[in-house]
Amino acid sequence: GAALAPLIAQNPANFRLRIELGRALLYSGRFAEAEEAFKAALKINTGSSSTRTLLGDVYLTDGKFAKARKEYEGVLETDVSCIPAQIRLALAMHRMGNSAEAATVLGKLLSDDNYPRLAAGHWLMAAVLADQGKVDEALKSLDKPLSVDIDDYDALMAKGLLLLRKKSSD
């Protein structure tokens, strides 16, 4: 972050520098400063879906799920096809305890007409469904990434853990 400050001072209207500063601050856990950097970037480019999604990420990472949700919903009002905002909206809903709502958002995103093979969405859907106690449906959700890559180690491990969870609850 500190390395970018002199560059930003020389180029205060440089959108890309402010985004990179915001990312660096977000990844280092400096949430208030990251929020400030992304808001400054949005003053330069008000229509940037990716920047608003990153601002939502600040709130999500900081545990401010309602603020994150509001930011992601704002992104989707102007850019309904923004996949990262859709996935993160579902994650924020899930973290707020609204798993059914999260499953609805993910169901629309992962429909056969939309992005049926979006692995990240299926991973989150599996987590949401498992938390709802719908282990069989969660297992089916993991079948999608495995249909793309049968050797997907992480999907295989998650599926194994879900099978163990299911067996222990029987």
Side-chain angles (χ1 to χ4, degrees):
L4 293 172
L7 294 172
I8 291 173
Q10 292 174 356
N11 305 294
N14 189 308
F15 175 74
R16 183 61 36 212
L17 285 174
R18 292 189 181 276
I19 294 298
E20 293 311 315
L21 175 62
R23 284 180 201 265
L25 294 166
L26 172 60
Y27 298 138
S28 65
R30 296 165 58 186
F31 303 124
E33 293 169 85
E35 177 183 15
E36 188 178 304
F38 290 132
K39 285 183 175 180
L42 284 168
K43 286 181 182 174
I44 297 167
N45 182 352
T46 58
S48 173
S49 298
S50 60
T51 306
R52 286 197 67 193
T53 301
L54 286 166
L55 182 57
D57 292 351
V58 170
Y59 303 136
L60 185 68
T61 308
D62 195 21
K64 298 176 181 174
F65 305 126
K67 282 183 92 167
R69 177 183 178 159
K70 183 178 177 185
E71 202 61 46
Y72 299 136
E73 287 174 337
V75 170
L76 295 171
E77 285 176 12
T78 57
D79 184 2
V80 73
S81 66
C82 184
I83 295 170
Q86 291 177 52
I87 289 175
R88 290 173 175 108
L89 172 60
L91 180 56
M93 291 171 164
H94 180 59
R95 295 261 171 90
M96 293 172 70
N98 300 331
S99 292
E101 244 183 323
T104 299
V105 169
L106 289 170
K108 290 177 185 173
L109 176 64
L110 303 173
S111 72
D112 288 337
D113 296 332
N114 211 3
Y115 298 96
R117 294 181 178 262
L118 185 65
H122 289 289
W123 277 91
L124 181 54
M125 179 65 96
V128 167
L129 293 169
D131 286 351
Q132 291 178 317
K134 300 176 181 176
V135 177
D136 288 332
E137 290 179 49
L139 288 166
K140 285 180 188 174
S141 188
L142 287 172
D143 287 341
K144 292 285 187 167
L146 288 169
S147 73
V148 175
D149 178 5
I150 195 151
D151 295 322
D152 182 330
Y153 175 79
D154 294 320
L156 290 168
M157 289 300 294
K159 195 165 184 175
L161 290 171
L162 282 172
L163 288 168
L164 286 172
R165 181 176 177 179
K166 182 179 175 181
K167 184 175 180 166
S168 70
S169 68
D170 287 344

